[in-house]
Amino acid sequence: MSTLVIVGSQWGDEGKGKVTDYLAQQADVVVRSQGGNNAGHTIYFDGQKYALRSIPSGIFNPNIKNVMANGMVIDPKQMLEELHGLMERGIKDYQLFISNRAHIVLPYHKELDGAYESLKKDNKIGTTKRGIGPAYADKANRIGIRMGEFIHPEIFKLKLKNALELKNMELKMLGLEELEFETIYKEYSSYALELKKYVCDTSLLLEEELEKNSKILFEGAQGVMLCLDHGTYPYVTSSSPTGASVPLNCGVAPRHITDVLGICKAYTTRVGEGPFPTELSGDLAHYIREKGHEYGTVTQRPRRVGYLDCVALNYARRVSGINHLALMLFDVLSGIDSIKICYAYELDGKKIQTIPATNQEYSEVVPLYIEMPGWTEDISNVTSFEELPLNAQNYIRKIEELTKTKVSLFSVGPDRKQTIQMEELF
Ligand code: GDP
Ligand code: IMO
Ligand code: MG
């Protein structure tokens, strides 16, 4: 196995950053395949906490290549802030490559993201307001600007002029202030100058690495339930975080993608709007939210929390080709008397084991649970499966049984060291 895809198997924030950073120690290349700074990937090691947004989670390892692929939408200003922030903390020895086909996020994308959210009123998505949706829309509408164009002053000037003409009409129509070409051009040209040295054809780079049989880790952002195609549309993001999207988003042949590690919390969380069948409220929700520090990395919003949903997990496994699971934040479940796992839904009196395509139906499903005894022991220091209390071992075995997928790794704390890998993945 020389490639491994890291996929969020729920609604994002499953711990993809932590697992990518951990496995990056065994890799040659880490590739962020899609999304932008709507992602927040948290990493802890040596007593330090880092929250990455667009930068791949392999950045702390000077020996490996970090790629930001064509499937991403990159906010140059925020990305540079991220790089400068890392530099201030002594992280400056890295290898970074940005695809010349990745799209850039500009100020009007952020304005429009906020404006459409307000206009949607009760139907708002609850986006991160980072301009992600409008940037992907421009890509599809063929008025986006790509990195390879951005770093050429004359091409950027022309592209920005053309795009801004249309975008200002849109802003005006929405009752917003129009943006000035000169201001954006001047500011963003300086970012382009700084980013230029990283920009290249990353598909070519990956081909060379594949030929050398290098170990390549593809780091997805978001999660399958937020996928534009397979997620709980319209309460989704504007790209596809599935395993299937990796070849397209990175410019590699599909035959290179065989192994997909689904990152999964021991329970479920969701930020933003949309149905969430196993959602909890009351004391247990509070307990999990506080113990798991379930507040958004990007927006600081409290995350909605719920029991583990194996219908959603099996759906993610199916549409994303997940063949290994990483069970995260397992330590958070210590101290709960009795834990439920959803194994099916009921809809109109019928048992179903998939996600209905409409949110109307999805908001009507009733989760069916199995209930298992919990454990009281603190597990944050265990170093093997055998050290886990029997009920915690049974919880893992039950998930494997319900998903027909091996839990190959579990995590008992945010630190890199609090990771137990049970089989070779890579
Ligand atoms: P990502 O977007 O998938 O990378 O996940 P986030 O970083 O947004 O959210 C995961 C949160 O859980 C972060 O605050 C991590 O530091 C934290 N975390 C990851 N694994 C564990 C774990 O096993 N136990 C605990 N307590 N926290 C964890
Ligand atoms: P990581 O990679 C959790 C959610 C937003 C919103 C919806 C659309 O950290 O797991 P967007 O700004 O993308 O248009 O918002 O998607 N969302 C995430 N939720 N983790 C993420 O990324 C997310 N990225 C987007 O909250 O509901
Ligand atoms: Mg996150």
Side-chain angles (χ1 to χ4, degrees):
M1 272 184 259
S2 67
T3 68
L4 181 67
V5 175
I6 304 286
V7 154
S9 63
Q10 297 161 317
W11 278 276
D13 300 328
E14 300 90 347
K16 298 174 292 295
K18 174 178 167 164
V19 175
T20 307
D21 165 71
Y22 174 82
L23 291 174
Q25 298 171 92
Q26 306 163 29
D28 300 301
V29 186
V30 171
V31 190
R32 244 303 285 276
S33 48
Q34 39 70 234
N37 64 356
N38 48 350
H41 293 184
T42 320
I43 292 157
Y44 277 85
F45 59 90
D46 297 343
Q48 296 290 316
K49 175 184 173 180
Y50 300 91
L52 299 176
R53 307 274 300 280
S54 319
I55 310 281
S57 299
I59 201 75
F60 305 102
N61 187 339
N63 303 320
I64 66 176
K65 296 190 168 83
N66 285 277
V67 174
M68 296 169 70
N70 58 280
M72 288 190 75
V73 287
I74 301 168
D75 179 336
K77 180 179 182 164
Q78 185 280 322
M79 188 200 151
L80 281 166
E81 279 167 14
E82 206 174 326
L83 279 182
H84 297 160
L86 287 172
M87 171 96 79
E88 277 162 24
R89 298 177 66 181
I91 312 295
K92 44 186 180 233
D93 190 11
Y94 48 75
Q95 303 175 54
L96 183 63
F97 305 86
I98 307 174
S99 168
N100 47 13
R101 289 175 173 81
H103 280 247
I104 61 166
V105 178
L106 286 158
Y108 47 78
H109 293 127
K110 286 178 265 189
E111 290 278 327
L112 290 168
D113 198 351
Y116 281 113
E117 278 289 274
S118 323
L119 287 168
K120 283 178 187 164
K121 297 194 181 107
D122 290 348
N123 296 321
K124 72 176 183 347
I125 309 292
T127 76
T128 58
K129 297 191 182 157
R130 297 307 191 271
I132 305 300
Y136 276 117
D138 278 5
K139 173 178 174 176
N141 214 8
R142 289 144 299 170
I143 53 167
I145 302 177
R146 307 212 285 191
M147 271 290 170
E149 297 162 335
F150 178 53
I151 57 169
H152 285 286
E154 286 312 311
I155 304 178
F156 177 44
K157 189 185 259 177
L158 193 69
K159 289 268 164 183
L160 181 64
K161 264 205 175 122
N162 291 341
L164 203 56
E165 211 172 295
L166 291 170
K167 292 286 129 180
N168 272 338
M169 286 185 212
E170 198 176 344
L171 288 169
K172 202 168 153 192
M173 189 184 80
L174 297 174
L176 296 171
E177 252 183 60
E178 292 179 48
L179 299 177
E180 260 201 30
F181 168 79
E182 279 305 331
T183 319
I184 303 181
Y185 183 67
K186 197 162 162 239
E187 181 184 348
Y188 279 73
S189 293
S190 74
Y191 304 146
L193 210 60
E194 209 174 330
L195 288 177
K196 192 174 175 173
K197 61 174 182 276
Y198 304 117
V199 178
C200 63
D201 188 332
T202 52
S203 165
L204 270 180
L205 181 152
L206 291 174
E207 184 180 41
E208 280 166 25
E209 294 296 330
L210 285 163
E211 275 169 8
K212 284 194 282 182
N213 217 19
S214 297
K215 287 184 167 186
I216 306 178
L217 201 53
F218 294 95
E219 176 184 17
Q222 289 81 52
V224 174
M225 301 305 287
L226 290 172
C227 171
L228 182 59
D229 276 80
H230 298 289
T232 47
Y233 190 89
Y235 301 104
V236 294
T237 192
S238 301
S239 66
S240 171
T242 63
S245 79
V246 168
L248 187 67
N249 283 329
C250 301
V252 302
R255 70 173 183 281
H256 296 300
I257 308 304
T258 48
D259 288 280
V260 182
L261 177 64
I263 315 300
C264 164
K265 272 181 182 164
Y267 46 96
T268 311
T269 62
R270 173 163 209 183
V271 222
E273 310 303 316
F276 182 176
T278 64
E279 184 165 14
L280 285 162
S281 57
D283 291 349
L284 187 52
H286 181 76
Y287 180 83
I288 294 176
R289 185 174 301 114
E290 295 311 312
K291 195 153 181 229
H293 305 290
E294 293 296 357
Y295 293 88
T297 318
V298 178
T299 55
Q300 312 308 318
R301 287 178 287 179
R303 294 179 182 139
R304 300 159 67 191
V305 300
Y307 286 121
L308 185 67
D309 183 341
C310 280
V311 179
L313 201 50
N314 272 320
Y315 179 83
R317 174 177 61 81
R318 170 156 58 88
V319 302
S320 198
I322 292 169
N323 58 350
H324 305 270
L325 283 172
L327 192 71
M328 311 302 290
L329 291 107
F330 200 22
D331 52 304
V332 175
L333 294 188
S334 291
I336 299 174
D337 290 344
S338 173
I339 310 174
K340 290 183 183 174
I341 304 181
C342 167
Y343 68 94
Y345 301 144
E346 209 173 80
L347 180 64
D348 297 333
K350 282 197 197 114
K351 196 163 131 185
I352 58 165
Q353 269 168 325
T354 188
I355 311 282
T358 67
N359 276 305
Q360 284 71 14
E361 287 172 302
Y362 198 31
S363 47
E364 282 166 23
V365 303
V366 178
L368 303 178
Y369 291 110
I370 50 160
E371 196 156 354
M372 301 183 69
W375 58 94
T376 51
E377 297 88 333
D378 174 10
I379 59 168
S380 57
N381 291 315
V382 308
T383 54
S384 67
F385 180 82
E386 291 69 32
E387 279 173 54
L388 287 171
L390 193 61
N391 287 348
Q393 292 188 8
N394 289 341
Y395 191 73
I396 291 191
R397 293 292 176 238
K398 184 52 81 180
I399 295 168
E400 291 181 326
E401 182 192 316
L402 291 172
T403 60
K404 299 185 195 73
T405 310
K406 181 105 180 57
V407 173
S408 304
L409 183 156
F410 66 92
S411 170
V412 292
D415 197 275
R416 197 190 263 173
K417 289 195 187 121
Q418 292 169 298
T419 316
I420 296 96
Q421 187 177 347
M422 294 186 283
E423 62 176 41
E424 204 176 317
L425 283 162
F426 213 27

